[in-house]
């Protein structure tokens, strides 16, 4: 039986969206502490010295969010936390038990982190063209199994929790015509083409998942991302 778990996240952070989804999928018992990462409380560095969300405080006696029990363990980094949540709840299927499937989950997540994430930032604030995102989508699509609804088969895993926050944000930004009309239109056009049909069906399936919907605040995310895009444009 897992011990007490406190999740420090934000409903408008893409990284914390990943861990929020995993906790919901695991049906974990946990306390969510909302941290505005654009204006963090001073005490938060005692939870994660790097000052970043998501973070998890695990174990020890129940205590206030800003003064966790000395017996608790403080953990950070979304990739680490996704595996930790899967380890705490092995029956959730968030991490398969088969070694080959486990390697596939990790390879999928590595592709999300090294290909799709930089593509999103380049497209969103760096002026990169739509093809940057489209090429990254194609690389993810190549990893999808021939049969199966999710990243590595028929069960939702932390691979799906990892890519979903990026997919929903890219679609949202593209639908709103951000970061630029041409960049947005190119992504939407590619998503409605047969070439990306399999990836789009997969992404849309994730977007409809209750865990994916409940672990973010779409309006706040849009406001934050719009501000980030405008800030980057003003700095040029
Ligand atoms: N590599 C980290 C990145 C986390 C991250 O950058 N979080 C942002 C919010 S989306 C944050 O906390 N930023 C505040 C800061 O850097 O001070 C992870 O995967 O958890």
């Amino acid at each position: 039986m897992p011990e007490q778990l406190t999740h420090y996240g934000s409903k408008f952070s893409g990284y914390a969206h990943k861990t929020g989804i995993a906790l919901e999928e695991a049906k974990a018992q946990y306390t969510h502490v909302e941290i505005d990462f654009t204006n963090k409380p001073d005490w938060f560095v005692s939870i994660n010295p790097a000052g970043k969300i998501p973070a998890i405080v695990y174990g020890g006696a129940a205590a206030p969010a800003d003064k966790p029990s000395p017996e608790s363990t403080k953990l950070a980094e979304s990739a680490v936390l996704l595996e930790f949540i899967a380890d705490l709840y092995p029956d959730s299927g968030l991490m398969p038990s088969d070694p080959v499937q486990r390697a596939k989950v990790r390879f999928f997540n590595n592709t999300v982190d090294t290909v799709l994430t930089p593509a999103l930032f380049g497209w969103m604030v760096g002026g990169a063209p739509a093809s940057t995102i489209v090429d990254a989508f194609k690389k993810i699509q190549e990893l999808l199994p021939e049969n199966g609804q999710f990243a590595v088969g028929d069960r939702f895993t932390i691979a799906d929790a990892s890519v979903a926050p990026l997919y929903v944000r890219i679609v949202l930004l593209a639908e709103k015509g951000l970061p630029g009309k041409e960049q947005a239109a190119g992504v939407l056009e590619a998503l409605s083409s047969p070439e990306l049909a399999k990836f789009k069906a997969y992404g849309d399936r994730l977007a409809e998942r209750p865990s994916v919907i409940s672990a973010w605040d779409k309006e706040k995310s849009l406001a934050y991302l719009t501000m980030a895009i405008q800030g980057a444009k003003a700095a040029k």
Side-chain angles (χ1 to χ4, degrees), residues 10 12-19 35-40 44 48 50-55 76-81 113 121 169 224:
S10 155
F12 64 94
S13 151
Y15 290 104
H17 195 181
K18 297 182 184 207
T19 46
I35 300 288
D36 178 354
F37 61 91
T38 62
N39 183 21
K40 288 169 291 188
F44 185 65
N48 180 8
K52 292 184 190 298
I53 54 160
E77 284 298 320
S78 58
V80 174
L81 300 180
D113 292 344
F121 283 109
R169 280 166 177 75
Y224 168 68

Side-chain angles (χ1 to χ4, degrees), residues 59-199:
D66 59 342
K67 285 190 189 61
S69 152
E71 283 81 47
S72 63
T73 302
K74 299 171 189 74
L75 301 164
E77 284 298 320
S78 58
V80 174
L81 300 180
L82 286 177
E83 293 226 17
F84 178 64
I85 295 163
D87 285 346
L88 283 181
Y89 294 92
D91 295 342
S92 66
L94 279 171
M95 185 55 125
S97 53
D98 174 65
V100 172
Q101 289 294 95
R102 292 166 77 85
K104 284 187 179 178
V105 166
R106 291 183 175 124
F107 188 78
F108 190 98
N109 282 359
N110 186 60
T111 307
V112 170
D113 292 344
T114 61
V115 177
L116 186 56
T117 303
L120 167 58
F121 283 109
W123 173 75
M124 188 174 84
V125 293
S131 59
T132 311
I133 293 290
V134 176
D135 290 347
F137 280 173
K138 284 183 190 162
K139 287 213 171 81
I140 304 268
Q141 180 173 256
E142 278 167 21
L143 300 180
L144 295 176
E146 244 175 65
N147 302 305
Q149 306 275 298
F150 298 109
V152 301
D154 265 327
R155 284 194 83 170
F156 187 100
T157 67
I158 55 171
D160 306 296
S162 179
V163 75
L166 285 91
Y167 179 76
V168 295
R169 280 166 177 75
I170 292 167
V171 170
L172 178 64
L173 291 176
E175 283 172 348
K176 298 290 176 189
L178 295 158
K181 276 207 172 105
E182 250 173 58
Q183 284 162 291
V187 168
L188 292 179
E189 213 171 285
L191 277 176
S192 57
S193 74
E195 216 182 351
L196 277 179
K198 183 172 179 174
F199 176 76

Side-chain angles (χ1 to χ4, degrees), residues 198-218:
K198 183 172 179 174
F199 176 76
K200 182 177 187 300
Y202 165 67
D204 289 349
R205 196 173 301 128
L206 297 182
E208 284 165 9
R209 197 109 177 141
S211 64
V212 175
I213 295 169
S214 68
W216 78 320
D217 183 326
K218 194 173 175 175

